[in-house]
Amino acid sequence: MTLIAEHDPDLGVGWPPDPEGWGEPPWADELGPLPVDEVDEVLEWTSLMNSFVAQRLAAVDTFRRRAYADAERYGGGSRELIDRSVRLELAAALRVTEHAAGDLLGFAAAMVHRYPAAWRSLSRSGITERHARILVEQLDAAGPEISARVGERALVLAEQQPVGVFRRKLRALVDTEQAATLAQRQAVAVRERRVEIEPGRDGMGWLHLHAPLVELHAVHARLTAQAKAIARAPGETRTLDEIRADAACDLLIDGDTTLLPADARGIRATVAVTVPALTLLADAAGAGAGAGAGAGAGAGDGAGAVPPVVDGIGPISVEQARVLCGGADGWMRVLTHPETGAVLSVGRESYKPPASLRRLVRWRAGRCMAPGCSVPADRCEIDHTVAWEHGGHTSLDNHSPLCKGHHTVKHHGGWHVDQIAGSGGALRWRSPSGRIYVVRPERTLPTFHPDPPPPSAPAPDRAPPPRPTLDREPPPF
Ligand SMILES: [Zn+2]
């Protein structure tokens, strides 16, 4: 703590940038600018490298276009033949495989012609080559229509987020844009479901089950939970993979789990389904009161209504969400406000957070809350941000998941970490060199309050129930 105070930065030098402005710490004025240090030197070289990468891509693309132009002028062969020749020359000159050369040519053409704004950003080091690769891959896969709609937002994300977070957020952005047609596409795709055997080597083989991804995650989660219970038995030496495979065979062949140890029986998977409450409400209003109410509710939510999402899978249709949230056990239902009665804090009563609080903390963060880390929250440890022995509470405001490595770094690596008050779980990491990195959780927990009754209410027998409005703190990102 004292070590860091000597090196305090001008907020905003830190990366990623802080678009919502948490404000400067009170001590920022007293200390002046951060002295130039080794990290600055690394940043400078990195910035030059990004710029060189952009120039290199432009040169590669110019080389390809020149070959086309020459071929046209001198009556050369087909496009395919020219491509082949260009690839061969580039591969020979760079001493890489033709496959790698082809990949470079494709990437260069995409950046220069399809995503010129991304190319400009790379050339002034607004993004890195990794960001550019992910942007091209995901937007190309989404098709020209979607990529035209989300391109600008994708670039803003790329310029703000570390690679892992950027990849997930771009995926979610594309999914949300595609969600409009999700139900139809799913209805077609589900008819492809089947089970197949693929022979392997040494008397082994694969059993492929092609089925809706939500169900498959539930299957895998149940097998994993059972395997973990079995692995705890004394004398058990099989790996988790082995036990999972054995449990799957036992279940499919015998159809029961009586041979399993007692604590592995009756395990059901829990899959978190996140359903934006307003989506379900709007849908119900549309079904109950006719198209007018539905359209009105949709318009109120803005253009792209947020689709329901299953943890680790992506969006699902509202119909499917309704089924999952309606009955079956084993689905952890998370409307995007805390479940009524959820334990948000036990103060100083208990050091160990209760299971429901641990689940909520993990769900909110999604990942390890260290800068750029992608370890899923369910493989993380739950950390008291302000340590228990320093008076920290056992509460949602004082817990974050951290993977083992980052948990150790937080406590012994000279970093200072605090949770930003009122931010809904954002952590501010101050590095030993004094840089600030703000890490936000994947999800926010909005609060709800009912609307005041409308000034001119419709006929009393058809009056709609008061519609809650969303009151997010901080504003959604
Ligand atoms: Zn981590």
Side-chain angles (χ1 to χ4, degrees):
M1 179 77 186
T2 26
L3 172 83
I4 298 153
E6 291 169 10
H7 270 277
D8 217 274
D10 177 11
L11 258 187
V13 168
W15 185 85
D18 184 13
E20 286 159 36
W22 295 106
E24 299 201 334
W27 58 81
D29 282 344
E30 302 158 21
L31 292 155
L34 187 70
V36 174
D37 64 6
E38 296 78 8
V39 183
D40 282 322
E41 204 169 313
V42 173
L43 285 176
E44 222 161 277
W45 286 114
T46 308
S47 164
L48 282 174
M49 278 167 63
N50 290 334
S51 176
F52 288 155
V53 168
Q55 298 310 324
R56 180 174 184 247
L57 290 176
V60 166
D61 191 63
T62 305
F63 166 56
R64 180 184 60 89
R65 282 183 298 135
R66 170 90 56 197
Y68 287 154
D70 286 351
E72 213 159 275
R73 195 172 317 138
Y74 306 120
S78 66
R79 265 288 160 102
E80 204 187 342
L81 194 65
I82 303 164
D83 279 341
R84 198 70 216 262
S85 159
V86 164
R87 216 160 50 220
L88 177 62
E89 173 145 22
L90 199 59
L94 295 177
R95 286 172 295 158
V96 296
T97 62
E98 277 195 50
H99 182 268
D103 178 68
L104 181 61
L105 283 158
F107 181 47
M111 287 293 283
V112 173
H113 301 287
R114 292 201 292 286
Y115 309 105
W119 182 86
R120 285 194 297 274
S121 180
L122 179 64
S123 69
R124 58 167 194 272
S125 195
I127 60 175
T128 69
E129 184 178 3
R130 276 308 296 149
H131 288 91
R133 285 270 179 189
I134 292 165
L135 184 136
V136 169
E137 265 165 38
Q138 294 206 11
L139 293 190
D140 273 1
E145 198 185 312
I146 299 272
S147 70
R149 282 215 297 274
V150 304
E152 224 167 281
R153 281 175 283 164
L155 185 56
V156 171
L157 279 179
E159 287 179 344
Q160 291 178 345
Q161 302 294 346
V163 166
V165 180
F166 168 59
R167 183 187 287 114
R168 292 195 302 278
K169 292 206 164 185
L170 181 55
R171 175 82 269 151
L173 185 62
V174 169
D175 281 346
T176 304
E177 282 297 322
Q178 289 177 327
T181 56
L182 188 66
Q184 293 105 293
R185 284 183 287 127
Q186 218 162 39
V188 175
V190 80
R191 276 185 245 131
E192 300 275 303
R193 63 192 185 276
R194 62 187 179 276
V195 176
E196 282 174 5
I197 288 183
E198 181 193 334
R201 279 174 311 183
D202 307 325
M204 301 292 283
W206 294 94
L207 179 71
H208 298 296
L209 168 58
H210 187 68
L213 194 54
V214 178
E215 269 92 330
L216 294 181
H217 269 265
V219 168
H220 194 265
R222 184 184 184 197
L223 289 174
T224 302
Q226 284 186 333
K228 282 183 178 166
I230 293 169
R232 283 196 293 270
E236 179 59 63
T237 56
R238 290 173 294 172
T239 65
L240 207 58
D241 270 334
E242 289 171 350
I243 305 177
R244 237 188 321 241
D246 293 347
C249 285
D250 289 348
L251 283 170
L252 288 173
I253 294 169
D254 297 327
D256 72 50
T257 54
T258 46
L259 291 177
L260 300 179
D263 57 352
R265 279 178 230 152
I267 286 179
R268 293 288 178 278
T270 300
V271 177
V273 189
T274 306
V275 187
L278 292 184
T279 303
L280 279 185
L281 281 177
D283 198 55
D301 289 343
V306 185
V309 169
V310 174
D311 244 14
I313 299 176
I316 57 174
S317 64
V318 175
E319 294 77 26
Q320 208 178 356
R322 190 178 292 290
V323 173
L324 295 178
C325 287
D329 288 338
W331 301 103
M332 176 183 149
R333 276 152 286 173
V334 187
L335 295 181
T336 45
H337 65 100
E339 295 268 40
T340 314
V343 181
L344 299 183
S345 171
V346 292
R348 303 274 304 161
E349 294 288 306
S350 150
Y351 169 76
K352 192 173 155 45
S356 61
L357 180 56
R358 286 203 304 273
R359 212 157 53 192
L360 202 58
V361 167
R362 288 198 165 102
W363 171 83
R364 178 177 67 175
R367 312 272 152 179
C368 165
M369 284 289 289
C373 185
S374 286
V375 172
D378 58 9
R379 298 217 310 262
C380 289
E381 297 164 352
I382 302 288
D383 174 54
H384 278 73
T385 311
V386 176
W388 175 259
E389 56 271 26
H390 296 149
H393 282 223
T394 298
S395 72
L396 192 62
D397 295 338
N398 193 38
H399 281 309
S400 289
L402 295 177
C403 68
K404 212 174 183 59
H406 287 130
H407 202 169
T408 311
V409 169
K410 182 203 163 211
H411 287 294
H412 307 290
W415 290 70
H416 175 77
V417 182
D418 64 329
Q419 205 169 117
I420 298 167
S423 68
L427 289 190
R428 179 165 35 207
W429 289 69
R430 191 138 42 97
S431 75
S433 77
R435 284 171 178 75
I436 300 265
Y437 306 89
V438 173
V439 181
R440 298 175 203 292
E442 300 261 307
R443 306 180 178 97
T444 47
L445 298 169
T447 51
F448 286 81
H449 55 79
D451 260 353
S456 58
D461 56 329
R462 295 297 304 253
R467 196 166 151 254
T469 50
L470 202 52
D471 179 17
R472 279 178 189 273
E473 283 196 39
F477 36 79

